[in-house]
Amino acid sequence: MRDLIRALSELETRLEETYGITLNEAMVLCAVGKEIVSAGDVTSRTGMTSSHASKTIRSVEDKGLLSRQLGKQDRRQMYFALTRKGRSRLERIKERGIDVPEWLAPLFAVREAAE
């Protein structure tokens, strides 16, 4: 368990140093992608709790990577989309990749093989 926590911490440090985002913020960017999604979509796609997703969405918004839009039918519903800056950051991550700690590399290899 200790090795897993250390590897995830190292991964997050590398993400922050290279791209200026946390692991959870990266998950939100990936969860939104090219779509316009609700907070519920972000929650289900990331596995975060509603409150954690809400805090992370706010953080990504504060960095100018995500925009918030009111629903057209239901004005109480919020939808989210990547800004130009957010799309650029996500594309850069996809192009350059992430320097994954050795301990986590097998998990990423399985994911890439499935895609």
Side-chain angles (χ1 to χ4, degrees):
M1 184 66 83
R2 183 182 68 233
D3 291 338
L4 175 60
I5 299 301
R6 283 184 182 161
L8 288 170
S9 177
E10 186 177 337
L11 176 63
E12 182 155 52
T13 298
R14 291 176 183 180
L15 267 171
E16 287 181 295
E17 289 173 351
T18 307
Y19 300 108
I21 58 173
T22 67
L23 183 56
N24 286 327
E25 291 168 346
M27 290 191 330
V28 168
L29 292 180
C30 291
V32 175
K34 296 179 180 179
E35 300 177 75
I36 297 173
V37 300
S38 69
D41 293 330
V42 172
T43 299
S44 65
R45 291 176 183 184
T46 62
M48 294 180 195
T49 63
S50 295
S51 64
H52 192 162
S54 178
K55 289 174 189 171
T56 306
I57 287 169
R58 171 61 67 191
S59 176
V60 177
E61 280 182 292
D62 290 346
K63 291 181 178 184
L65 304 174
L66 196 66
S67 65
R68 180 182 298 245
Q69 306 165 14
L70 288 174
K72 291 184 175 146
Q73 269 97 21
D74 184 350
R75 309 279 297 164
R76 297 170 295 175
Q77 183 70 37
M78 290 290 173
Y79 291 93
F80 303 92
L82 296 182
T83 61
R84 182 175 297 145
K85 183 178 174 182
R87 287 190 304 273
S88 174
R89 184 83 44 100
L90 184 57
E91 283 304 312
R92 202 165 69 220
I93 292 169
K94 287 180 179 180
E95 288 170 6
R96 295 182 186 169
I98 302 168
D99 186 18
V100 177
E102 187 177 327
W103 205 87
L104 296 173
L107 298 174
F108 280 76
V110 168
R111 175 75 176 152
E112 290 171 359
E115 293 175 352

